[in-house]
Amino acid sequence: MVQNLKVEDAMVKNVASATLPGSRDEVLAILKDKKVSGVPVLKDNKVVGIVSRTNILKNPEEEQLALLMSRNPITIHVGESLKEAARILYEKNIRRLPVVSDGGKLEGLITTADIIGTIADLNIETPIQQYLSPNVYALWSETPLPVVSLLMDLSDVKACPIVDAGLNLVGIISDRDVVGASIIEDRVEKSDMSAGNDDDNWTWESMRDTMSIYYSVSRVRLPADKVAKDIMISNMITATSLASVDSCAKKMKRNKIDQIPIIDATGKLQGMLRDRDLLLPLIEVE
């Protein structure tokens, strides 16, 4: 029974995590290597933050993990119900919950994807039509990559369907694809720390030269010469609005995706089904 399912039945126990003090580059390596969208941040084996791809993309010049992470994250106790985890994820509009013991020690992580994997086995035959997101944010296939990132950030979406000039659905881009295309760019900048100037008779030229400080700046950059079609996933998994909750959950679980473009009989884009939309059937179970 759904009511008997606990967080520990679906959570991931061997969790990739970052530790304070840490750096942006270390987190990027974890995200790319583990193919995850975010990780808990630990200090003294206790959860003190969450850092995600969004944190990195919104702060491209910040290198310190302590300044990148979201502090005081919402957590859930290992003994709580799966339905309660689904409710928190949906209502707080977050994607992951660190699972902790009574002492606050990290025991695991439960994500929207983990719960979708459980929903796939519950045989919920309700059509997905009533759970579709009311708004869809699509992008043109020739949109430059930095603009793609900006528009996804402003629209607060993690994935966008991509259409061509004929309004045909040709692909989909997620924040994972954007981060995968990012480049860490190092450059040297100059700061003139001298208090003197050319009109100051008491300032020697050598002193002004000595007080010019050069320092290194590192930032995450998205290549402007790439466009949406260069990084989009063109081999998409799609569904129609009449598909059932369990069939869509199975597609997400099997293909490790968190969104499905919804199309009509002619293949035209009608909407987007996000994995968080499929949390509602579980929350509604009495």
Side-chain angles (χ1 to χ4, degrees):
M1 294 292 291
V2 176
Q3 293 88 339
N4 297 329
L5 292 174
K6 300 294 183 182
V7 166
E8 58 187 338
D9 296 326
M11 73 180 190
V12 175
K13 295 181 180 179
N14 297 318
V15 182
S17 61
T19 305
L20 290 180
S23 71
R24 175 200 62 207
D25 295 358
E26 293 170 357
V27 172
L28 269 175
I30 294 173
L31 298 185
K32 291 182 179 182
D33 179 55
K34 301 296 184 181
K35 294 181 172 58
V36 294
S37 59
V39 293
V41 180
L42 307 181
K43 184 177 181 180
D44 299 327
N45 292 321
K46 293 186 178 180
V47 181
V48 294
I50 289 278
V51 62
S52 68
R53 290 192 291 254
T54 301
N55 295 128
I56 295 173
L57 291 173
K58 284 185 175 181
N59 303 276
E61 295 192 3
E62 183 54 63
E63 297 182 67
Q64 296 183 60
L65 176 55
L67 298 179
L68 272 174
M69 71 181 190
S70 299
R71 296 173 178 271
N72 302 315
I74 301 171
T75 61
I76 191 166
H77 190 270
V78 66
E80 279 285 359
S81 69
L82 196 65
K83 180 177 178 179
E84 176 64 10
R87 184 192 66 78
I88 294 173
L89 290 170
Y90 186 84
E91 292 182 356
K92 300 298 183 181
N93 194 22
I94 54 180
R95 296 198 56 79
R96 59 194 65 80
L97 278 172
V99 182
V100 298
S101 61
D102 290 331
K105 181 183 176 183
L106 181 67
E107 297 291 341
L109 188 74
I110 188 161
T111 67
T112 302
D114 298 324
I115 297 179
I116 295 304
T118 300
I119 291 175
D121 299 325
L122 297 180
N123 297 319
I124 302 175
E125 298 291 340
T126 310
I128 61 168
Q129 192 168 21
Q130 62 181 300
Y131 300 116
L132 290 179
S133 303
N135 299 313
V136 180
Y137 302 92
L139 292 173
W140 182 37
S141 58
E142 298 294 333
T143 307
L145 197 50
V147 180
V148 169
S149 179
L150 174 63
L151 293 178
M152 289 177 65
D153 183 27
L154 293 175
S155 303
D156 193 25
V157 294
K158 305 299 182 184
C160 272
I162 307 300
V163 297
D164 62 15
L167 303 183
N168 300 300
L169 177 67
V170 294
I172 190 168
I173 285 180
S174 71
D175 57 352
R176 176 183 299 174
D177 304 315
V178 175
V179 165
S182 65
I183 299 169
I184 297 178
E185 181 182 71
D186 296 309
R187 67 181 188 273
V188 175
E189 293 192 354
K190 174 183 176 182
S191 175
D192 187 1
M193 303 298 290
S194 171
N197 56 58
D198 290 336
D199 296 326
D200 189 345
N201 295 328
W202 295 99
T203 303
W204 296 342
E205 187 71 26
S206 59
M207 182 178 292
R208 289 200 298 272
D209 292 342
T210 302
M211 295 300 289
S212 293
I213 297 177
Y214 295 85
Y215 58 95
S216 175
V217 175
S218 176
R219 71 188 301 272
V220 174
R221 181 178 67 84
L222 295 170
D225 58 345
K226 287 191 175 184
V227 296
K229 67 180 181 182
D230 294 329
I231 69 165
M232 71 182 186
I233 304 299
S234 56
N235 186 22
M236 295 165 291
I237 305 298
T238 61
T240 69
S241 60
L242 296 179
S244 65
V245 167
D246 70 319
S247 68
C248 288
K250 286 175 182 175
K251 285 185 176 182
M252 289 181 176
K253 179 181 180 180
R254 186 182 308 120
N255 296 284
K256 297 181 179 180
I257 55 178
D258 49 23
Q259 64 283 312
I260 298 177
I262 305 303
I263 57 175
D264 62 17
T266 66
K268 292 290 185 180
L269 180 66
Q270 281 191 312
M272 284 283 285
L273 179 70
R274 304 167 300 176
D275 54 0
R276 72 181 306 270
D277 299 325
L278 292 183
L279 296 176
L280 277 173
L282 179 59
I283 296 171
E284 293 170 353
V285 170
E286 295 298 335

